[in-house]
């Protein structure tokens, strides 16, 4: 894409309450991915890029109940590196009281500078109890949860944002009402994954919905999410929708340097990171070391890096036998031996390394509580069920 075209699509810094995000880009929370190690790697690339502009890197999702009960895994997931700023945490809750208590912990104990509320989870075990992406259908419950979080965070000047989907399916869209409600109760911004719950990650994201949300929500930033596989995709989304920033998820899998690309693109600069295989292998090795540090356990860190191997090597020449051994690595020494078998001079493969990453899946029927769609009002029986849509664990 010509530099002149990019310049025309430049976005200013993103303002979320008191926070200014120089590069209007947010790392989407991804279970088992956006831990402290991966966030650090993304920040490394962004800070080393030509612009040096910082993005907002959100933690893995944690549940309000798990935080209130101070679950050990959850307490580790909300940890941030000493130099990580702003510290961003995504919270999932289905009850205003528990959500308020969880937010109170984060802000009163100075554990977060930004809180994002998750209302987009499409996992069947969550939606069948009325949680996740199904919850905004119950407007009063949605309003109460967001208002409770904003109320607790406000005295500490910590902005609260909302991430959601378009709705349950094409016949039951909720995003416009949810956006207006979030704006009305004081949220600092809203992000839309432009798919329905029934789509999960299949098909194409409906960027036109982001544009409609931008028209409906006038006083706070609107962020777009879905099918951003490159910096050019992000610029195109901004141009087509008028969004104030973008949220990037699967597009950065095995490509933490995407945040340097995005910073350059939104600054109107044409340069892109196109690493050769030697640079990619060095990044993979650094990621593994960060994971070992995160877990304080070499075996756990090496087991975690396994799922990233295919993403890092996408499009590069590496035999199936080597890929197999890399995907079963159990120590940093073993990883070093295998990396040594790669050709460090192999150039960036271009198109074969681009495009979709992660599983897309297929559209599906959304399992909901009985009578869930009959009314936007919550019945006592549904209230009892939705309380079970949040357990005491986090990261999933």
């Amino acid at each position: 894409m010509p530099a002149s075209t990019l310049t025309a699509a430049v976005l200013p810094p993103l303002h979320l309450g008191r926070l200014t995000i120089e590069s209007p880009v947010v790392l989407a929370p991804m279970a088992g991915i956006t831990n402290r190690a991966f966030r650090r790697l993304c920040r490394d690339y962004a800070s080393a890029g030509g612009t040096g502009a910082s993005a907002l890197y959100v933690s893995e999702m944690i549940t309000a109940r798990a935080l209130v009960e101070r679950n050990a895994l959850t307490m580790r997931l909300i940890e941030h590196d000493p130099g990580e700023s702003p510290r961003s945490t995504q919270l999932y809750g289905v009850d205003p009281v528990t959500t308020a208590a969880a937010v109170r912990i984060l802000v009163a104990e100075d554990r977060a500078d930004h809180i994002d509320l998750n209302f987009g989870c499409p996992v069947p075990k969550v939606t069948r109890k009325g949680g996740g992406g199904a919850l905004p259908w119950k407007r009063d419950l949605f309003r109460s949860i967001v208002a409770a979080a904003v109320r607790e965070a406000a005295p500490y000047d910590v902005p609260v944002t909302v991430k959601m989907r378009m709705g349950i399916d094409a016949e039951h869209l909720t995003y416009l009402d949810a956006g207006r409600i979030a704006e009305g109760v004081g949220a600092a911004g809203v992000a839309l994954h432009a798919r329905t719950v029934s789509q999960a990650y299949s098909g194409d994201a409906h960027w036109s919905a982001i544009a409609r949300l931008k028209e409906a929500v006038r006083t706070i930033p609107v962020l777009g999410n879905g099918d951003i596989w490159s910096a050019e995709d992000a610029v195109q989304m901004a141009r087509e929708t008028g969004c104030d920033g973008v949220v990037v998820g699967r597009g950065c899998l095995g490509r933490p340097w995407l945040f340097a690309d995005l910073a350059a693109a939104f600054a109107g600069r044409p340069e892109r990171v196109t690493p050769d295989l030697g640079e990619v292998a060095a990044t993979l090795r650094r990621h593994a070391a960060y994971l070992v540090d995160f877990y304080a356990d070499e075996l756990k860190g090496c087991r975690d890096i396994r799922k990233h191997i295919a993403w890092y090597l996408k499009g590069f020449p590496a035999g199936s036998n080597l890929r197999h051994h890399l995907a079963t690595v159990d120590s940093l020494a073993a990883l070093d031996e295998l990396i040594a078998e790669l050709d460090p001079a192999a150039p960036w493969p271009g198109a074969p390394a681009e495009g979709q990453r992660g599983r897309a899946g297929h559209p599906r029927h959304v399992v909901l509580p009985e009578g869930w769609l009959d009314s936007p009002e919550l019945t006592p029986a549904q209230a009892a069920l939705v309380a079970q849509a949040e357990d005491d664990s986090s990261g999933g």
Side-chain angles (χ1 to χ4, degrees):
M1 184 174 290
S4 58
T5 304
L6 289 173
T7 300
V10 167
L11 287 182
L14 176 64
H15 297 282
L16 298 174
R18 65 181 172 86
L19 301 179
T20 297
I21 312 302
E22 296 169 343
S23 177
V25 177
V26 177
L27 168 64
M30 290 179 282
I33 303 292
T34 58
N35 50 38
R36 198 158 42 86
F38 187 69
R39 299 197 307 271
R40 180 181 176 187
L41 198 61
C42 294
R43 294 199 318 276
D44 287 349
Y45 269 101
S47 62
T51 68
S54 63
L56 182 66
Y57 306 97
V58 188
S59 74
E60 293 182 71
M61 184 196 81
I62 63 168
T63 70
R65 177 181 165 190
L67 180 55
V68 170
E69 296 183 359
R70 296 185 182 267
N71 171 276
L73 171 60
T74 297
M75 301 312 289
R76 187 172 83 239
L77 290 178
I78 64 172
E79 292 177 357
H80 293 80
D81 282 335
E84 191 169 355
S85 179
R87 299 162 301 165
S88 179
T89 298
Q90 190 184 65
L91 187 66
Y92 168 66
V94 297
D95 170 67
V97 175
T98 308
T99 300
V103 170
R104 197 177 309 128
I105 290 172
L106 291 172
V107 297
E109 298 180 10
D110 190 25
R111 294 178 179 273
D113 304 306
H114 163 251
I115 297 170
D116 185 53
L117 300 178
N118 182 318
F119 292 101
C121 180
V123 176
K125 71 176 183 179
V126 172
T127 62
R128 69 165 45 98
K129 297 176 181 176
L135 194 146
W137 179 257
K138 301 299 183 181
R139 292 194 294 264
D140 289 345
L141 177 60
F142 173 80
R143 178 184 288 106
S144 296
I145 293 171
V146 179
V150 170
R151 183 185 66 247
E152 294 297 329
Y156 296 86
D157 206 14
V158 172
V160 174
T161 57
V162 168
K163 188 169 186 286
M164 58 191 177
R165 285 180 175 250
M166 292 171 59
I168 294 170
D169 53 36
E171 288 70 45
H172 302 92
L173 301 177
T174 55
Y175 70 103
L176 294 178
D177 282 339
R180 294 188 190 101
I181 290 169
E183 179 183 33
V185 299
V190 291
L192 178 65
H193 182 167
R195 286 182 170 88
T196 61
V197 175
S198 66
Q199 280 185 272
Y201 297 94
S202 67
D204 297 323
H206 303 284
W207 288 3
S208 60
I210 300 168
R212 287 193 290 273
L213 182 62
K214 178 63 180 171
E215 292 172 357
V217 175
R218 302 295 186 88
T219 64
I220 58 175
V222 171
L223 309 179
N225 176 220
D227 293 353
I228 296 178
W229 309 110
S230 68
E232 284 69 30
D233 291 335
V235 169
Q236 184 178 350
M237 175 187 280
R239 184 190 306 122
E240 290 185 10
T241 69
C243 65
D244 301 289
V246 299
V247 180
V248 179
R250 293 175 296 155
C252 68
L253 296 176
R255 284 200 309 176
W257 52 84
L258 180 58
F259 291 92
D261 286 354
L262 290 160
F266 283 124
R269 299 170 61 155
E271 64 265 23
R272 298 291 180 270
V273 180
T274 54
D276 58 26
L277 186 51
E279 294 171 293
V280 170
T283 301
L284 188 160
R285 175 58 169 78
R286 182 150 45 108
H287 190 174
Y290 287 173
L291 285 168
V292 170
D293 177 68
F294 171 66
Y295 288 108
D297 185 306
E298 184 170 0
L299 180 57
K300 285 184 179 179
C302 289
R303 283 176 174 170
D304 197 325
I305 198 63
R306 295 172 184 175
K307 63 175 172 279
H308 298 268
I309 300 295
W311 297 325
Y312 275 114
L313 297 182
K314 187 175 189 292
F316 281 101
S320 58
N321 188 54
L322 178 56
R323 288 175 185 265
H324 169 73
H325 285 297
L326 281 166
T328 58
V329 70
D330 58 5
S331 70
L332 292 178
L335 180 60
D336 289 337
E337 290 180 8
L338 293 168
I339 285 176
E341 297 183 35
L342 295 169
D343 176 8
W348 177 251
E354 303 287 353
Q356 183 170 312
R357 289 158 180 268
R359 295 179 179 177
H362 303 281
R364 60 192 180 211
H365 171 70
V366 183
V367 181
L368 299 165
E370 184 177 355
W372 189 256
L373 297 176
D374 292 348
S375 166
E377 305 300 322
L378 195 67
T379 68
Q382 291 170 350
L385 186 62
V386 77
Q388 302 171 32
E390 175 188 349
D391 59 25
D392 62 355
S393 62
S394 297

